[in-house]
Amino acid sequence: MKAVPKVNTDGLYLEDTLVDDAFSGVVPFYAEIVPQPPTNPDEDAQPEEPQPEIAGYIVGVPITPGLFRPRFDISAWETYQDELQAAESAYREAYEEWQAQPEDERGEPPVYVPPEMPTLWIEGLTLEEIEEITRPQPQEPTELELLSEEVEVIRQQTAQQQEAIDSSGMELAEVKASNAEQQQTIGTIGTEQIKLDLSTLDLKQQNAVLGAELVKKDIAILDLQSQNQALGQMLAALELKLLANGTGGESNVQQ
């Protein structure tokens, strides 16, 4: 047994099939026939047997290496068979003519020369399809490459995290510096506040002293006013006394 290719009706390769070692040439194979039920069961006539349909060919010609999708040129094969038959027929005629001649006149017998076999297996894909399938495809990364990519991703993530940590540390340092400045400012403001409080307290004390002095002044003024009022009364009494003496009368003013 040997494996030979099977093709569809267009000559495109389908699969291999096992045949006898002596097999050669090209023979058709047929699609499976599915029996059809009669359209009218009451009729006595026998249903017409469906004709088998050719599904492809079993090819005894080896596939030419290097084809992307082998295609058997059935038309070229049929033409080649016609040429073979014509060559064989011409050879038989020539041999019969040679044999009909007297033996001493025959000469060399004719030689059968078969026609040259054409290229029967051809490419079944178009140039565009070949360019598409032969275009360099990205190779699947190896396990080592995948691990290297994962390590690189982890390194990048670590670097980003370290940058974030460094940035946070700088921000923390800035916050601490700002806090220290604020504490210093608060301390300065507190010192100034203490000074202002002391100054206010001193002013309050001075104000209290001035208030006491003012009270003393008010009391002194009141005392002077009282004295002035007493003097006024004494002056009025003297004036009355003088007035009485000037008129020669007895003063009625009580001393």
Side-chain angles (χ1 to χ4, degrees):
M1 301 294 287
K2 64 179 180 180
V4 296
K6 289 176 67 176
V7 299
N8 62 14
T9 54
D10 293 327
L12 293 173
Y13 172 80
L14 297 175
E15 60 183 0
D16 284 345
T17 186
L18 293 176
V19 296
D20 189 81
D21 289 335
F23 176 81
S24 64
V26 177
V27 296
F29 64 90
Y30 298 89
E32 183 179 357
I33 299 175
V34 179
Q36 298 294 329
T39 56
N40 189 353
D42 296 334
E43 293 181 358
D44 295 334
Q46 294 294 326
E48 184 179 354
E49 292 292 334
Q51 295 297 322
E53 293 183 1
I54 294 177
Y57 300 90
I58 299 174
V59 180
V61 180
I63 296 177
T64 303
L67 299 175
F68 292 96
R69 188 178 185 188
R71 178 176 176 270
F72 187 74
D73 193 341
I74 299 173
S75 177
W77 168 260
E78 292 174 348
T79 300
Y80 175 63
Q81 296 304 305
D82 293 339
E83 293 175 353
L84 280 176
Q85 291 179 3
E88 289 174 357
S89 178
Y91 170 74
R92 282 195 300 269
E93 291 178 359
Y95 187 82
E96 289 174 358
E97 290 178 358
W98 173 82
Q99 196 173 26
Q101 295 178 0
E103 291 185 3
D104 56 351
E105 298 179 0
R106 287 179 183 177
E108 295 294 331
V111 178
Y112 173 70
V113 180
E116 184 179 357
M117 181 182 289
T119 302
L120 297 175
W121 285 101
I122 58 178
E123 181 57 62
L125 297 181
T126 63
L127 290 177
E128 291 78 8
E129 291 172 332
I130 293 174
E131 290 177 357
E132 180 65 26
I133 64 175
T134 56
R135 183 178 301 165
Q137 300 294 327
Q139 296 182 352
E140 292 292 331
T142 63
E143 184 176 358
L144 180 59
E145 290 174 341
L146 292 174
L147 290 175
S148 299
E149 291 178 359
E150 292 180 2
V151 169
E152 184 61 26
V153 170
I154 294 173
R155 285 179 178 174
Q156 293 178 358
Q157 291 177 348
T158 302
Q160 292 175 355
Q161 289 178 353
Q162 187 61 44
E163 289 180 359
I165 292 171
D166 294 342
S167 177
S168 298
M170 293 176 63
E171 291 179 359
L172 180 60
E174 291 177 358
V175 171
K176 287 182 178 179
S178 177
N179 185 38
E181 291 178 358
Q182 290 180 352
Q183 290 294 335
Q184 185 176 0
T185 302
I186 292 171
T188 302
I189 294 173
T191 303
E192 295 295 329
Q193 183 67 38
I194 292 171
K195 291 180 180 179
L196 290 174
D197 290 341
L198 292 174
S199 177
T200 303
L201 180 60
D202 185 53
L203 290 175
K204 286 181 178 180
Q205 291 176 349
Q206 293 179 11
N207 191 29
V209 172
L210 291 174
E213 294 294 330
L214 183 58
V215 171
K216 290 180 180 179
K217 295 292 184 183
D218 290 338
I219 293 173
I221 292 171
L222 290 175
D223 185 51
L224 290 173
Q225 288 178 349
S226 298
Q227 293 177 10
N228 192 26
Q229 185 178 4
L231 291 173
Q233 291 177 355
M234 291 176 64
L235 182 57
L238 290 173
E239 287 178 351
L240 289 175
K241 187 175 182 180
L242 289 174
L243 182 59
N245 291 328
T247 55
E250 188 72 22
S251 176
N252 293 324
V253 181
Q254 298 294 326
Q255 293 289 325

